[in-house]
């Protein structure tokens, strides 16, 4: 056996058996293999912890989003933004839904393309209701994931949904903003 045989190093690279710790320079830079080999445990631990933190943030976002959505839907509107005067501080009665939503959002209005594709979804909207109880504007707050379903939800809300208007502290009808969630679901069969 030649001198040093049996004493070989375990950190060799490829068939040339050149030690990784002695890389061939690439235009004055270290090879990626040598750089990766020299990365110590602290860097690997930081990468692992960083990856875990990213996964935790994504999971947290998926858990918090539904809770926030429920909180928005159930939050009472107990003051009108921009209200002034002595009645502004007094509580007022929320608008009450007058329309039967089962008659407003019927299968007849289900978007054809979404129906053919079997797409279902839930759209949460914010409705501007005037002092007569008519819906004057609609903004999508939580999308169903399908633009056509969202657009039909807003269109039907403005055209067909009616409220008994909110009342200010003096009992006068007043404009308000109401939240509405609509679940679009295909009938089985």
């Amino acid at each position: 056996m030649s001198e040093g045989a049996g004493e070989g190093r375990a950190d060799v690279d490829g068939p040339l058996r050149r030690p990784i710790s002695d890389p061939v320079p690439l235009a004055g830079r270290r090879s990626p293999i040598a750089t990766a080999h020299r990365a110590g445990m602290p860097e690997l631990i930081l990468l692992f912890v960083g990856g875990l933190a990213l996964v935790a943030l994504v999971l947290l976002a998926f858990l918090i989003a539904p809770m926030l959505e429920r909180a928005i839907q159930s939050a009472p509107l107990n003051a009108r933004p921009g209200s002034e005067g002595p009645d502004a501080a007094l509580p007022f009665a929320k608008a009450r839904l007058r329309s039967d939503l089962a008659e407003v959002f019927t299968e007849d209005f289900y978007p054809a393309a979404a129906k053919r594709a079997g797409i279902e979804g839930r759209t949460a909207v914010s409705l501007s209701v005037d002092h007569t109880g008519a819906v004057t504007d609609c903004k999508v707050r939580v999308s169903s994931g399908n633009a056509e379903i969202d657009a039909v939800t807003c269109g039907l809300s403005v055209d067909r949904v009616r409220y008994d208007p909110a009342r200010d502290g003096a009992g006068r009808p007043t404009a308000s903003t109401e939240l509405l969630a609509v679940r679009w679901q295909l009938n089985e069969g």
Side-chain angles (χ1 to χ4, degrees), residues 64-157:
I64 289 177
M67 291 188 312
L68 286 175
E69 184 180 327
R70 283 191 297 272
I72 288 171
Q73 290 174 358
S74 64
L77 298 174
N78 57 9
R80 283 188 304 152
S83 296
E84 296 177 6
D87 293 339
L90 298 174
F92 71 96
K94 284 181 55 101
R96 288 184 316 135
L97 187 64
R98 192 178 344 159
S99 301
D100 180 358
L101 296 181
E103 292 178 9
V104 173
F105 300 98
T106 66
E107 190 173 339
D108 297 337
F109 295 103
Y110 209 105
K115 193 177 208 179
R116 280 191 303 275
I119 297 173
E120 298 180 336
R122 181 174 175 274
T123 303
V125 294
S126 174
L127 304 175
S128 297
V129 179
D130 69 13
H131 70 282
T132 68
V135 176
T136 59
D137 191 32
C138 174
K139 290 185 178 22
V140 174
R141 294 296 179 209
V142 179
S143 174
S144 65
N146 181 283
E148 197 174 5
I149 287 176
D150 295 345
V152 168
T153 301
C154 270
L156 289 173
S157 295

Side-chain angles (χ1 to χ4, degrees), residues 167-187:
R167 305 254 172 203
D168 65 15
R172 294 180 300 246
T174 187
S176 65
T177 301
E178 304 300 323
L179 300 173
L180 179 69
V182 178
R183 171 88 177 136
W184 289 91
Q185 191 169 356
L186 295 167
N187 292 331

